[in-house]
Structures are given as structure tokens and as C-alpha cells.
Amino acid sequence: MENKAVVIANRTAEGISVIDIQVYNANGRLLARPTKRLIDSINDLPLLDREKVKSAVSQQYGIPMKNVTLSF
């Protein structure tokens, strides 16, 4: 089984604002937490939408985009 990521975010007038990212292994154990710098770099992307958030998290943690979930 593959790792999964849950992105906690808010909807804003400018798009999406990422608050936290939690990466879990196949057993549901928390593996990684993001740095403030990572969250800020994702939030700095222009016209941030679901696909851009998933892509950024996927690239950062090496997780397939299908295993990245957004929670509002």
C-alpha cells in the first residue's frame, strides 16, 4: 500500500489556503508534518486550486496525486 496525505485547507476569495498537511503510511501512522516554509510556498502559487495543491504535495512527498485528499 502507498502513503497518503491529507491537506487541511480553507477556501478564500483568492482560492484555497493550505493550513496543514499530514502524511500517513499504509497503516495509518503519521509520518511527516510540513514546515511553515512548505505551506507558505504552496500558498504563494498563483490561482491555487485543488489540482495545484495536490500536485505540489505529490511532488514534495512522492505520493501519487490520487492519494492526496483535501479537507475543508
Side-chain angles (χ1 to χ4, degrees):
M1 299 233 15
E2 299 172 326
N3 294 342
K4 297 182 181 196
V6 177
V7 179
I8 296 151
N10 280 334
R11 289 189 175 106
T12 66
E14 293 83 28
I16 294 174
S17 176
V18 175
I19 298 169
D20 193 17
I21 303 167
Q22 300 168 350
V23 179
Y24 297 93
N25 68 8
N27 296 326
R29 185 170 176 211
L30 185 63
L31 291 179
R33 299 292 302 249
T35 62
K36 181 175 178 351
R37 185 177 187 176
L38 173 62
I39 290 177
D40 289 344
S41 70
I42 293 172
N43 285 332
D44 286 343
L45 294 171
L47 303 171
L48 195 57
D49 62 7
R50 286 178 179 264
E51 292 305 310
K52 286 184 181 179
V53 170
K54 286 183 174 188
S55 176
V57 171
S58 175
Q59 290 175 4
Q60 177 66 33
Y61 293 104
I63 298 171
M65 284 181 57
K66 67 179 183 176
N67 290 354
V68 178
T69 305
L70 268 72
S71 177
F72 293 97

